[in-house]
């Protein structure tokens, strides 16, 4: 399910991709939309994946570079093992007072 956050005229949409228990990598599709806005976020620096006390920076960004209006790609992380019950994808954007947080609850994955 896609989650959206809107602040200061910029919408960020995040859709979880592969979050399988046996995966070595997890990924999220990320899209920025902001009419007339320069979308020059340092994606590799501004995102972090948080779960069970782990805070992980992205491994890779496969997508568009800085541009006006729209930007999209796939953000990849090394998977957290064992999988936590809850994950947060956090985005810190310049000029915004607090991070944007996208939450994913998966329940007990140990079964």
């Amino acid at each position: 399910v896609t989650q959206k956050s809107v602040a200061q005229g910029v919408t960020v949409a995040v859709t979880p991709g592969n979050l399988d228990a046996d995966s070595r990598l997890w990924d999220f599709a990320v899209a920025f939309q902001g009419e007339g806005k320069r979308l020059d976020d340092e994606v590799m620096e501004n995102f972090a994946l948080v779960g069970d006390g782990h805070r992980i920076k992205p491994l890779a960004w496969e997508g568009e570079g800085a541009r006006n209006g729209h930007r999209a790609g796939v953000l990849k992380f090394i998977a957290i093992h064992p999988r936590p019950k809850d994950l947060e994808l956090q985005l810190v954007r310049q000029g915004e007072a607090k991070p944007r947080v996208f939450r994913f609850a998966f329940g007990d994955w140990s079964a």
Side-chain angles (χ1 to χ4, degrees), residues 4-97:
K4 293 183 181 180
S5 170
V6 181
Q8 296 188 0
V10 175
T11 300
V12 179
V14 174
T15 306
N18 179 13
L19 298 174
D20 292 340
D22 58 352
S23 292
R24 298 174 81 94
L25 295 177
W26 290 342
D27 57 69
F28 298 85
V30 179
F32 296 84
Q33 184 73 39
E35 284 304 315
K37 303 278 186 182
R38 179 81 178 151
L39 303 171
D40 56 1
D41 294 75
E42 293 291 336
V43 176
M44 295 290 290
E45 295 298 319
N46 295 1
F47 276 98
L49 188 62
V50 179
D52 281 354
H54 299 277
R55 182 177 185 82
I56 300 171
K57 287 301 213 177
L59 179 66
W61 167 252
E62 296 176 354
E64 301 166 328
R67 58 180 25 175
N68 288 328
H70 179 79
R71 182 178 185 191
V74 175
L75 199 55
K76 297 188 177 203
F77 293 86
I78 294 175
I80 299 171
H81 290 286
R83 285 193 300 189
K85 293 179 183 180
D86 302 295
L87 286 175
E88 285 186 0
L89 183 62
Q90 298 177 354
L91 168 61
V92 176
R93 295 193 78 235
Q94 185 174 355
E96 294 184 7

